[in-house]
Every structure is written in structure tokens, then in C-alpha cells.
Amino acid sequence: MVHNALDIAEIVQQLLEEGWEIAPEDLAHISPYLTEHINRFGEYSTHQLGIQPDAYDPKLDVDFTPLRDQDLTAAGLGQAA
């Protein structure tokens, strides 16, 4: 994103030097945060490391009993709005 912002600033400066008029309102429509070509979380290949991920288990092994035992009504969560 920073690289995009620097590129935009450089291009705007070049246009101004060439005599173009650029209004601040026009610049408000430009965003340096382009996401079409960016994978924010990266791509990580584990097969090259010889790591085999565990098989997906759709069952969550979480005990929600302590939550049910709490007085949710006192917290304002026990009744629908």
C-alpha cells in the first residue's frame, strides 16, 4: 500500500509539472489500497516442508456448559430484543 501511495504521489507531481490542474476533490477518488493483486495473508506452502496438515474435523470439541450456567439474563443476553 505504501508503494502504491508513493507511485500515486510521483505521478501526480509529474502531471502538475506538465501543467495539468488537479483538484483535491479528484484525488479524493484515488485509493492506494488496491486489493485485486494483493493476498493480505500470504500464501504458505507446507508440502515443501514435508508437513501434512491434520484432516479437517467439522466437530468443535468445545464445552459450552460454563456459559450456560451463567446468569445471562443479568448480563442482558438472556432475552431476544
Side-chain angles (χ1 to χ4, degrees):
M1 186 170 88
V2 174
H3 181 28
N4 290 344
L6 292 174
D7 285 347
I8 291 170
E10 184 178 326
I11 292 168
V12 169
Q13 185 62 39
Q14 288 175 358
L15 290 172
L16 290 172
E17 290 172 1
E18 292 175 10
W20 289 82
E21 290 185 29
I22 301 174
E25 296 82 21
D26 296 332
L27 294 177
H29 297 286
I30 299 174
S31 172
Y33 186 61
L34 305 175
T35 59
E36 291 85 25
H37 66 289
I38 297 174
N39 184 349
R40 296 183 334 167
F41 304 109
E43 292 183 15
Y44 302 97
S45 176
T46 59
H47 76 280
Q48 294 174 345
L49 301 174
I51 299 171
Q52 184 67 27
D54 294 334
Y56 174 71
D57 183 2
K59 178 183 173 284
L60 292 176
D61 189 21
V62 179
D63 182 12
F64 291 105
T65 305
L67 294 175
R68 290 186 188 106
D69 292 341
Q70 293 177 4
D71 185 6
L72 298 178
T73 305
L77 303 173
Q79 297 179 355

